[in-house]
Amino acid sequence: MKTALPVEDRPAVRLGLRENRLQFTLLVVVNVCVGGLVGLERTTVPLIGTETFGLTSDLAVFSFIIAFGLTKALTNLAAGALTARFRRKQLLLAGWLIGVPVPFALAYAPSWGWIVAANVLLGLNQGLTWSMTVNMKIDLVGPARRGLATGLNEAAGYTAVGATALLTGYLATTHGLRPVPELIGVVFVTAGLALSLVVRDTAAHVALELAQHAEPLPTGEDTGLKATFARTSWRDRSLRGASQAGLVNNLNDGLTWGVFPLLFTDHGLGIAAVGLIKGLYPILWGIGQIPTGHLADRIGRRPLIVTGMLVQSAGFVLALALLDRPLLAGVLSAVALGLGTAMVYPALIASVSDHAHPAWRANALGTYRFWRDIGYAAGALVAGILADLLGLNATVIAAAVLTAASGLLAARWITERPKG
């Protein structure tokens, strides 16, 4: 029988990026695999709906994004509560096991219903794996480096999303929409599952931060999911501001996910060019989060959040203003959307972490990520309805207006909190 190590022989638990660099780096690589799996869909799946399965309604085409967004949002919410019962590593592994069928379903689905079902599994996979990688990185580094930690996590994931979108666009040009582009997902699932087996759990780091936290948990404060959901969604002004900004940010992503491939192919671009546009957006979104995450630790969260939302709004304006030159319009729009999102993403997660006590932080992040990823479904639903009624151009205009309004709300509601 294996006996526990004496206390003096156990590895010392310390908070910090440098102190935990090996585990942190391993989690970065895991999140590359997480992002790569969802990147399979960015270029090809809307076109599979129209060209392979003959769908004529934009809302029907975007139904796979609605299924993905709803499932991922609910899983994010549940993930926070599940951390009270299960270790983060266990949930990370469960997410990868759920994701195993996804690339095969996308590659060989006999009907559109199978694609939608695969996106339910993909939403479960992304909700568990992405939630756990970001929570575990925040656990490791402590409060002083949250912005950088979340920036590196999201950079890894979204750079992989973009690179995979580029790759699938190229493969679809040379090998057709299916099955070759989707089967590269087998590599991501296999590698992600194998690496997650090596990851160490971070429960001891959470316990250490709780012991060191400058503000003790108020007596009688409810740390459960129901109370934290209310606190994060509307009762706390700053958390409410972050949640609405996250929702609109991912509404943009859900909208462009479905609309841009159809909009730019309607204006004469081929699959490879669409793949470039769809890949450039998340690549800049990903890589840009390394400096913006660091910047959020230095100048604060709110300036980046507000500026980023306004830059995204400008990206939608560029897409329409230059549409007579569709490749230029797509590239410039992708640059603005990518850089704007890079400003917003790590700053929002860090802001939520700043305003949440470690005792209920996992539930707060789960609630924030619930609202953020409901944006995928909301974006696809709004885009489908508006596109069917008013056309794709009107849908892009609506996104620009809504994003600018969200940035102004963030400026009004979100406050800075000293990092303890």
Side-chain angles (χ1 to χ4, degrees):
M1 180 177 178
K2 188 174 181 179
T3 58
L5 287 173
V7 173
E8 61 272 14
D9 293 335
R10 295 175 186 170
V13 176
R14 294 181 295 173
L15 301 179
L17 182 56
R18 181 173 299 175
E19 292 82 353
N20 296 285
R21 58 188 178 276
L22 293 179
Q23 285 298 306
F24 193 96
T25 301
L26 182 58
L27 285 164
V28 167
V29 178
V30 170
N31 215 44
V32 168
C33 299
V34 177
L37 189 61
V38 74
L40 293 176
E41 298 197 322
R42 290 286 166 144
T43 302
T44 59
V45 174
L47 300 175
I48 289 171
T50 57
E51 296 183 16
T52 302
F53 294 111
L55 300 179
T56 56
S57 164
D58 290 324
L59 184 58
V61 173
F62 302 159
S63 61
F64 81 97
I65 307 172
I66 297 172
F68 169 80
L70 285 174
T71 307
K72 186 170 187 279
L74 291 170
T75 307
N76 287 337
L77 187 61
L82 288 171
T83 57
R85 298 187 179 185
F86 302 96
R87 291 186 177 271
R88 284 148 165 66
K89 178 175 178 176
Q90 292 174 319
L91 296 172
L92 181 63
L93 289 169
W96 279 118
L97 290 173
I98 291 169
V100 169
V102 169
F104 300 102
L106 295 176
Y108 299 111
S111 68
W112 185 247
W114 282 71
I115 300 289
V116 175
N119 274 272
V120 172
L121 295 179
L122 183 62
L124 289 167
N125 160 267
Q126 295 288 302
L128 288 174
T129 55
W130 210 309
S131 291
M132 290 309 107
T133 57
V134 72
N135 273 290
M136 292 170 84
K137 288 186 180 73
I138 289 172
D139 296 342
L140 290 171
V141 303
R145 306 292 280 172
R146 284 182 187 136
L148 180 59
T150 55
L152 289 169
N153 184 77
E154 304 302 285
Y158 284 101
T159 302
V161 171
T164 307
L166 279 171
L167 179 58
T168 55
Y170 169 76
L171 291 174
T173 301
T174 57
H175 294 85
L177 289 172
R178 298 197 303 170
V180 174
E182 293 75 24
L183 288 179
I184 62 174
V186 176
V187 176
F188 296 125
V189 172
T190 303
L193 183 57
L195 291 170
S196 296
L197 288 168
V198 183
V199 170
R200 294 177 184 171
D201 194 71
T202 56
H205 295 81
V206 177
L208 178 59
E209 186 182 347
L210 274 168
Q212 296 177 348
H213 200 264
E215 298 180 15
L217 185 69
T219 303
E221 181 167 280
D222 191 345
T223 63
L225 177 59
K226 182 177 180 180
T228 304
F229 185 88
R231 189 182 295 126
T232 308
S233 300
W234 61 81
R235 288 183 180 171
D236 184 286
R237 186 183 180 95
S238 288
L239 293 175
R240 178 173 74 232
S243 294
Q244 68 82 24
L247 187 153
V248 174
N249 183 90
N250 275 22
L251 180 146
N252 292 344
D253 191 26
L255 185 145
T256 61
W257 189 348
V259 168
F260 275 20
L262 303 182
L263 177 68
F264 290 115
T265 53
D266 283 351
H267 284 78
L269 295 187
I271 297 175
V274 171
L276 172 64
I277 294 166
K278 292 302 298 172
L280 186 60
Y281 170 21
I283 285 175
L284 291 172
W285 171 355
I287 295 173
Q289 288 180 85
I290 299 175
T292 60
H294 179 65
L295 193 60
D297 289 331
R298 296 179 64 85
I299 69 170
R301 322 306 191 191
R302 186 171 62 179
L304 287 170
I305 294 167
V306 176
T307 304
M309 297 303 288
L310 296 178
V311 170
Q312 288 180 59
S313 180
F316 285 115
V317 174
L318 286 171
L320 292 185
L322 302 171
L323 200 51
D324 57 337
R325 301 172 66 185
L327 183 58
L328 178 63
V331 168
L332 291 181
S333 177
V335 169
L337 286 166
L339 293 178
T341 308
M343 296 179 197
V344 167
Y345 237 64
L348 282 173
I349 297 176
S351 180
V352 173
S353 298
D354 292 343
H355 287 83
H357 192 279
W360 48 272
R361 186 175 62 214
N363 277 335
L365 284 170
T367 301
Y368 160 72
R369 288 166 62 83
F370 165 80
W371 288 117
R372 191 190 70 185
D373 288 343
I374 276 288
Y376 283 123
L381 182 62
V382 168
I385 293 172
L386 288 179
D388 281 339
L389 293 176
L390 302 174
L392 295 172
N393 288 18
T395 306
V396 176
I397 293 171
V401 173
L402 186 59
T403 305
S406 177
L408 296 177
L409 276 179
R412 181 175 177 83
W413 285 344
I414 295 175
T415 58
E416 300 293 347
R417 186 178 178 92
K419 298 174 281 297

